[in-house]
Amino acid sequence: MGSSKKRVQSFKELQLDPLIQKGVDSAGYQRPFPIQELAIAPLLSGRNVIGQAKTGSGKTAAFGIPLLQSLDSRVNRVQALVLAPTRELAVQITSELKKIGAFTGARIVTIYGGQSINVQFEALQRGVHVVVGTPGRVIDHIKRGTLLLDSAKFVVIDEADTMLDMGFVDDVEFILDSVSENRQLSLFSATMPQPIVELARKYMRDPERILVDANDPTVETLEQFYAVVNQEEKYSLLTDLLGRLKPKSTVIFCRTKYGTRRLARELERQFQSVVPLHGDLSQHQRDHSMSTFRQGNADVLVATDVASRGIDIRQVDCVINFDVPQDTLLYFHRVGRTARAGDSGKAYTFVSPEEFEDFARIKQMSKWQIKPLRPEDASHHLESVQPNNQGRGRYGGFQPGERSRYGRRRWTQRGASRGRNFNR
Ligand code: AMP
């Protein structure tokens, strides 16, 4: 467990290169997050590190600071490689590295499928120090001879469990086999399934293991709720909840691309500031959705799981699981989009009777309470619940006596709430 390991209390204690310290300061990082307290020092000393930490824990800077410090800006070769499962995560890692490395002269390039290989080829040809990429495209460049990794000495595998879910483990192995054996390797993953443990065993000698979960400050600031609702009533519950919560920034997750597209369209008809994110969109459309949402020009992002994994958007105050994810771990990835970096957030999961089983597994696995959202609870959390003329909360009531298989009352929505404006 991480707590028995040495923790640094401040960035100053790490005696970073002054130009990197300047980047840390200008990023506004006053004190290290737990994963940084534990991981930066061993990485600076050249150790291999396995970090079990979620996105939102500050893991990018945990490997990013030592990565940048390992570079020699006079050497015009690729010295560091970061592998990420999705293009969105790769782009986000690059922007974090550029922020911290702003004063170091480090040249960093992102390479991922969907972008013109020639554009990436030209960027690589100009000479870069750091490559952040998705496995498929990195292999493409290796095979074409446009990416030489013989000088790469700092290698990071980020979100290793997602790599596994997406079937990238063989690709990761291929890439690791292309890199010099003397490289320093670090691997970050929210969970440690057996194939990842084996991957680490195969490629890492004497790694320092760091676990940040119970200590993760981001989890304590997250409140989780669920509502049992029939599938066909989810939409009106959603618009009603949005109308009452008035969140500034909401991510809504759906299981399928089709469902995501349909929900985004429907919401867009009523509320203009909605953007979709799913795998059927072109890279350009996905980038556009992300930047619109990130800049606060859309209140709502409707997304599938794959498209959104690892995405870091600060100040998402609300996550809504319109569908319960079939894969239990996805639930934790989804709700981890809010309450990041110490901010508070709320997560709501809509559970239809068909989804009881999937949700029961999630509840069982969660260390944190997922509370039933009932009108009387919600009045503490939702704004302006007006009693209606039947003495129930305005936003729908229980059908007295009706119980779900959980033995809890069923949330039902009375009347449509379409057309309500949930924008501020
Ligand atoms: P990550 O888990 O790497 O995606 O980081 C989550 C968020 O925390 C990002 O927006 C980072 O910019 C931010 N962050 C990372 N380290 C710190 C820190 N020490 N202080 C404040 N914010 C941080």
Side-chain angles (χ1 to χ4, degrees):
M1 180 70 205
S3 54
S4 63
K5 296 197 161 78
K6 182 168 166 13
R7 285 173 182 270
V8 295
Q9 302 298 319
S10 69
F11 286 113
K12 297 272 175 299
E13 212 179 300
L14 290 162
Q15 298 186 319
L16 301 174
D17 176 322
L19 295 176
I20 294 175
Q21 181 63 54
K22 196 171 164 192
V24 169
D25 292 339
S26 77
Y29 301 168
Q30 286 166 0
R31 60 157 298 153
F33 287 165
I35 184 76
Q36 298 162 359
E37 291 174 351
L38 291 160
I40 296 177
L43 282 169
L44 284 173
S45 74
R47 298 272 316 258
N48 292 329
V49 163
I50 300 178
Q52 188 166 354
K54 295 179 193 139
T55 300
S57 58
K59 65 184 163 61
T60 314
F63 65 73
I65 290 170
L67 177 152
L68 289 160
Q69 186 133 324
S70 77
L71 303 177
D72 181 344
S73 57
R74 295 162 305 179
V75 177
N76 201 15
R77 305 191 66 122
V78 176
Q79 297 167 52
L81 172 71
V82 182
L83 292 174
T86 63
R87 30 196 168 186
E88 280 79 9
L89 182 61
V91 167
Q92 186 184 301
I93 293 169
T94 303
S95 88
E96 180 85 356
L97 292 178
K98 284 189 172 164
K99 207 159 57 173
I100 303 167
F103 306 97
T104 63
R107 286 195 301 279
I108 307 165
V109 73
T110 328
I111 60 178
Y112 50 86
Q115 194 194 37
S116 151
I117 199 148
N118 288 332
V119 170
Q120 296 169 0
F121 174 56
E122 282 159 25
L124 288 168
Q125 228 182 6
R126 281 195 294 274
V128 293
H129 302 120
V130 184
V131 167
V132 183
T134 51
R137 189 51 74 92
V138 167
I139 290 181
D140 238 14
H141 280 284
I142 293 173
K143 288 188 174 162
R144 286 165 188 248
T146 48
L147 173 60
L148 298 175
L149 292 174
D150 49 334
S151 301
K153 53 187 196 273
F154 198 108
V155 179
V156 181
I157 303 166
D158 198 11
E159 297 216 345
D161 50 357
T162 314
M163 297 274 196
L164 179 71
D165 289 351
M166 294 176 75
F168 286 150
V169 168
D170 289 347
D171 290 355
V172 170
E173 292 209 11
F174 177 92
I175 295 164
L176 291 177
D177 290 334
S178 315
V179 184
S180 143
E181 270 186 35
N182 294 327
R183 82 280 177 283
Q184 180 182 2
L185 181 61
S186 50
L187 179 150
F188 290 83
S189 197
T191 57
M192 286 293 163
Q194 196 54 30
I196 297 301
V197 175
E198 274 157 28
L199 182 80
R201 197 173 294 145
K202 185 167 167 195
Y203 287 94
M204 294 169 118
R205 228 175 314 118
D206 186 29
E208 171 101 10
R209 288 166 209 278
I210 293 165
L211 171 65
V212 175
D213 65 351
N215 297 330
D216 186 343
T218 61
V219 179
E220 283 156 28
T221 55
L222 172 66
E223 274 191 281
Q224 301 173 65
F225 300 94
Y226 71 92
V228 176
V229 60
N230 291 325
Q231 190 64 32
E232 58 279 12
E233 290 164 340
K234 283 185 174 181
Y235 184 76
S236 59
L237 173 60
L238 173 69
T239 53
D240 208 43
L241 193 62
L242 290 173
R244 288 171 191 288
L245 280 168
K246 299 186 174 58
K248 291 195 184 68
S249 176
T250 303
V251 180
I252 303 173
F253 285 103
C254 296
R255 240 184 229 192
T256 63
K257 289 186 259 193
Y258 174 73
T260 303
R261 202 170 34 235
R262 213 175 56 162
L263 183 61
R265 257 197 230 129
E266 188 65 30
L267 283 170
E268 212 172 359
R269 258 200 286 278
Q270 290 184 48
F271 321 106
Q272 275 130 35
S273 54
V274 178
V275 285
L277 188 70
H278 55 77
D280 279 351
L281 298 177
S282 69
Q283 185 57 36
H284 176 73
Q285 289 168 315
R286 285 163 69 162
D287 290 345
H288 181 258
S289 286
M290 278 305 299
S291 64
T292 307
F293 187 65
R294 215 187 277 274
Q295 286 158 16
N297 295 326
D299 297 335
V300 178
L301 176 77
V302 187
T304 54
D305 292 293
V306 169
S308 68
R309 290 190 79 161
I311 287 175
D312 175 41
I313 308 156
R314 289 298 298 273
Q315 279 130 18
V316 169
D317 48 2
C318 183
V319 164
I320 297 176
N321 294 316
F322 194 79
D323 300 313
V324 175
Q326 262 159 336
D327 176 347
T328 313
L329 292 178
L330 280 179
Y331 175 85
F332 300 97
H333 281 278
R334 287 179 176 191
V335 302
R337 300 309 102 203
T338 182
R340 294 165 72 72
D343 292 339
S344 64
K346 295 191 170 74
Y348 300 85
T349 302
F350 295 177
V351 188
S352 72
E354 299 73 41
E355 295 169 318
F356 281 156
E357 259 174 55
D358 290 335
F359 186 65
R361 276 200 303 274
I362 292 167
K363 273 195 93 185
Q364 210 176 9
M365 252 188 86
S366 178
K367 276 191 284 221
W368 305 89
Q369 205 194 354
I370 310 175
K371 295 179 258 184
L373 178 69
R374 296 169 302 180
E376 54 265 45
D377 290 333
S379 63
H380 299 299
H381 303 286
L382 307 182
E383 288 179 8
S384 65
V385 175
Q386 308 288 332
N388 64 15
N389 57 7
Q390 291 166 15
R392 297 197 205 146
R394 186 183 69 182
Y395 67 108
F398 293 115
Q399 310 270 301
E402 190 179 357
R403 285 174 188 276
S404 76
R405 273 200 255 162
Y406 287 114
R408 298 187 194 284
R409 283 167 163 184
R410 212 175 265 212
W411 172 298
T412 54
Q413 181 70 28
R414 189 171 5 87
S417 53
R418 295 189 170 204
R420 270 189 203 147
N421 181 11
F422 66 89
N423 292 321
R424 293 167 303 279

